[in-house]
Amino acid sequence: MKKKVFITGASSGIGEFLAYAYAKKGYFIGLAARREDKLVQVASKCFELGGEAKCYSLDVTNSESCKNDIEDFISLPGDVDTVYANAGVGAPDQLSTGDSSAMNKILLINIIGVTNTVLPFIPYFKANKRGKIAVISSIASFRGLAHHSAYSGSKAAVRNFCQGWNNALHKYNISFSAICPGFVSSEMTDNQKNPQPFKISTSIAVDKIIRAVEKRKKVFIFPWQAKIFIMPMIKWAPNWLARLLKI
Ligand SMILES: NC(=O)c1ccc[n+]([C@@H]2O[C@H](COP(=O)([O-])OP(=O)(O)OC[C@H]3O[C@@H](n4cnc5c(N)ncnc54)[C@H](OP(=O)(O)O)[C@@H]3O)[C@@H](O)[C@H]2O)c1
């Protein structure tokens, strides 16, 4: 039976390259994001690479449209093998404005967007007694970052969800992988001027992500340089050092 994979945030960056990697394996791919024109371009490249694809122009903060589109995707011929809750945004907290809207937008997309993507698949995976779900967290999830705490907090929340969901659904052979990248080339990072040590290309990143998800790794921190040098510093640096390093 044809294998299917559902990817949110498939219009650019990590999600786009995940789609190409699965297209090369002959998968049917559900491509979800807001920018329909970009999704159509990604879909046509997926066909060229040997896969098939259907575009779902959706906003992950809209639970109704996520549920409807996921029901449609499940109903298509084939077996859903893996789901990627990848859509996400990052921006400063804008604490000094006194306005919570910037932070709330990030929390909504990065947290509620994940539950809206993952939960509609659970009854299906439970009935099938198998399924792999990957949630894209971040190495930033290991500390409340000074001016990006909505981002780091949202990524900590979804990593935490994965731990709980793994234990809740272990007996149904459903695995959750919290993927914690360091810096990966994408629309999110390529225009930023801040230092991005050990940054890797999008295609290398998705190869590593897919291998980890296939192995059902519960938490996957990569690349190895970020795991060894950046993650412990982010996690354990005393606050005076964090202020000095502006993290
Ligand atoms: N790149 C890195 O270094 C890095 C590191 C750690 C974690 N991450 C995480 O990796 C994930 C992918 O990011 P990326 O680096 O590939 O950045 P990107 O190129 O900016 O991709 C973000 C994707 O999310 C989609 N998206 C944003 N808001 C959405 C919404 N409300 N509804 C549906 N889709 C939405 C965007 O599509 P539309 O705009 O078309 O909706 C886009 O496809 C994110 O969760 C990010 O936090 C990235």
Side-chain angles (χ1 to χ4, degrees):
M1 201 190 286
K2 189 109 187 155
K3 284 188 179 177
K4 298 189 286 184
V5 60
F6 189 82
I7 304 169
T8 67
S11 59
S12 64
I14 294 171
E16 175 185 354
F17 278 71
L18 280 169
Y20 300 151
Y22 280 97
K24 286 181 197 157
K25 294 168 181 266
Y27 272 60
F28 185 99
I29 306 142
L31 302 167
R34 292 165 302 182
R35 288 170 295 175
E36 194 166 11
D37 52 332
K38 289 262 186 185
L39 290 179
V40 171
Q41 288 170 15
V42 175
S44 93
K45 191 158 171 195
C46 286
F47 280 97
E48 278 170 30
L49 293 169
E52 290 174 77
K54 180 166 178 181
C55 300
Y56 294 97
S57 173
L58 61 76
D59 187 324
V60 290
T61 64
N62 184 330
S63 61
E64 241 352 88
S65 69
C66 286
K67 195 166 179 289
N68 292 338
D69 285 346
I70 290 168
E71 276 170 11
D72 175 80
F73 180 70
I74 289 172
S75 74
L76 300 173
D79 189 32
V80 186
D81 177 67
T82 309
V83 171
Y84 285 90
N86 164 72
V89 290
D93 293 336
Q94 299 187 14
L95 282 180
S96 308
T97 63
D99 178 355
S100 58
S101 56
M103 288 185 75
N104 290 350
K105 184 180 169 197
I106 295 166
L107 298 174
L108 202 60
I109 295 173
N110 292 5
I111 301 179
I112 306 301
V114 169
T115 55
N116 284 343
T117 303
V118 171
L119 268 67
F121 282 103
I122 301 299
Y124 172 84
F125 282 151
K126 262 181 94 170
N128 279 3
K129 290 207 162 33
R130 67 169 181 278
K132 296 190 283 285
I133 300 178
V135 174
I136 312 301
S137 173
S138 170
I139 209 158
S141 68
F142 293 98
R143 181 178 205 106
L145 298 179
H147 295 285
H148 290 82
S149 64
Y151 183 75
S152 58
S154 68
K155 294 300 183 183
V158 297
R159 182 165 52 77
N160 184 291
F161 294 171
C162 285
Q163 188 176 27
W165 292 339
N166 258 315
N167 288 328
L169 297 172
H170 177 78
K171 63 177 175 224
Y172 298 103
N173 194 23
I174 304 171
S175 60
F176 292 87
S177 299
I179 305 296
C180 301
F183 293 106
V184 176
S185 176
S186 75
E187 283 183 9
M188 186 181 276
T189 55
D190 288 350
N191 295 325
Q192 288 178 13
K193 292 197 179 83
N194 57 312
Q196 298 178 352
F198 312 121
K199 188 172 180 178
I200 57 173
S201 74
T202 333
S203 55
I204 288 177
V206 304
D207 287 348
K208 291 181 189 299
I209 292 171
I210 292 171
R211 264 204 304 278
V213 173
E214 289 297 320
K215 288 183 185 162
R216 297 176 182 262
K217 287 207 171 193
K218 292 188 172 55
V219 179
F220 178 55
I221 304 164
F222 73 101
W224 66 266
Q225 297 93 332
K227 182 177 179 177
I228 288 177
F229 300 115
I230 301 180
M231 199 279 273
M233 191 190 63
I234 284 187
K235 193 169 176 181
W236 302 115
N239 285 321
W240 65 264
L241 183 58
R243 286 194 293 274
L244 197 71
L245 296 172
K246 295 190 169 41
I247 56 174

